[in-house]
Amino acid sequence: MKKTTIGLALMFIIGMSLYLFYALGGFNQIEITQTNLGTIELTGKTYRGIPGNESLKETFLMMEELQRSHPESKLHTIYFVEPAGKLDTMEVFVGLESSWVTDKTDLTELQFDGSSAIVANIQAHRFVMPGPNRVKNEILEFAEENKLAEPKIFIDQIIGPEAVKVIALDQNSIK
């Protein structure tokens, strides 16, 4: 009797977990396409340091505040150097489309040729969203299957709390 109750409870928990994962979009596929995005112009700040530093938080808050004043704009991040641990150095650019930024004082401007961009659309709750390595691997696989140049630059465009677009470009697209 006790084993049956435990077994039923365990099956119920597993079933509810799978349903919750499904409801949050955990089984959604990553949609990958090749797209001509034209010239991608971004304006923002670059942070270089360790992940826990207060100035990283300030960089994101500054750009998020600017983004809130232009709700149509999208926040973009580019990790030039990703940290392997909490004390490793990272380098990340946080910015918006240049057309939304009027005061460019103390900000960095970046331009990319997006004429042959690979774009991955991800729709899922942040708790079940696929990790960056899985997305990157699927993009690289797509590039190889379609005989495209191997992307080296990955721009994360945050569309909303449950939607992210990853724009993958080859090294030669930096202007």
Side-chain angles (χ1 to χ4, degrees), residues 33-82:
T33 58
Q34 181 185 12
T35 310
N36 180 353
L37 298 175
T39 300
I40 301 168
E41 297 176 345
L42 302 175
T43 301
K45 289 194 74 104
T46 301
Y47 167 79
R48 184 171 174 80
I50 60 172
N53 195 314
E54 189 66 26
S55 59
L56 173 62
K57 182 180 178 182
E58 290 169 7
T59 300
F60 271 93
L61 289 175
M62 178 188 153
M63 295 314 298
E64 286 171 353
E65 184 178 317
L66 185 59
Q67 192 262 337
R68 275 192 293 279
S69 65
H70 303 286
E72 307 85 23
S73 66
K74 306 289 183 246
L75 192 67
H76 294 72
T77 59
I78 305 170
Y79 286 86
F80 293 110
V81 178
E82 294 192 41

Side-chain angles (χ1 to χ4, degrees), residues 2-159:
K2 205 174 197 181
K3 288 183 183 181
T4 305
T5 305
I6 292 172
L8 287 173
L10 191 58
M11 288 182 61
F12 177 76
I13 290 171
I14 290 171
M16 286 304 294
S17 297
L18 286 172
Y19 174 75
L20 186 61
F21 189 74
Y22 168 78
L24 294 175
F27 292 115
N28 293 352
Q29 294 293 318
I30 299 170
E31 298 173 19
I32 301 177
T33 58
Q34 181 185 12
T35 310
N36 180 353
L37 298 175
T39 300
I40 301 168
E41 297 176 345
L42 302 175
T43 301
K45 289 194 74 104
T46 301
Y47 167 79
R48 184 171 174 80
I50 60 172
N53 195 314
E54 189 66 26
S55 59
L56 173 62
K57 182 180 178 182
E58 290 169 7
T59 300
F60 271 93
L61 289 175
M62 178 188 153
M63 295 314 298
E64 286 171 353
E65 184 178 317
L66 185 59
Q67 192 262 337
R68 275 192 293 279
S69 65
H70 303 286
E72 307 85 23
S73 66
K74 306 289 183 246
L75 192 67
H76 294 72
T77 59
I78 305 170
Y79 286 86
F80 293 110
V81 178
E82 294 192 41
K86 292 181 180 180
L87 298 177
D88 288 339
T89 300
M90 67 182 292
E91 184 176 353
V92 62
F93 171 85
V94 183
L96 303 174
E97 299 96 337
S98 294
S99 60
W100 297 108
V101 182
T102 53
D103 182 13
K104 298 180 181 180
T105 310
D106 297 328
L107 297 176
T108 304
E109 293 185 70
L110 300 177
Q111 280 192 351
F112 301 95
D113 175 14
S115 60
S116 62
I118 298 173
V119 179
N121 288 303
I122 305 153
Q123 295 278 336
H125 189 279
R126 65 185 179 109
F127 290 135
V128 296
M129 197 169 277
N133 287 336
R134 178 176 164 213
V135 175
K136 190 176 186 179
N137 288 338
E138 288 199 27
I139 289 172
L140 293 173
E141 199 174 285
F142 179 86
E144 187 177 320
E145 288 172 2
N146 292 285
K147 296 176 178 47
L148 302 170
E150 181 179 337
K152 297 287 185 187
I153 301 165
F154 297 89
I155 304 171
D156 296 338
Q157 183 184 54
I158 293 86
I159 297 170

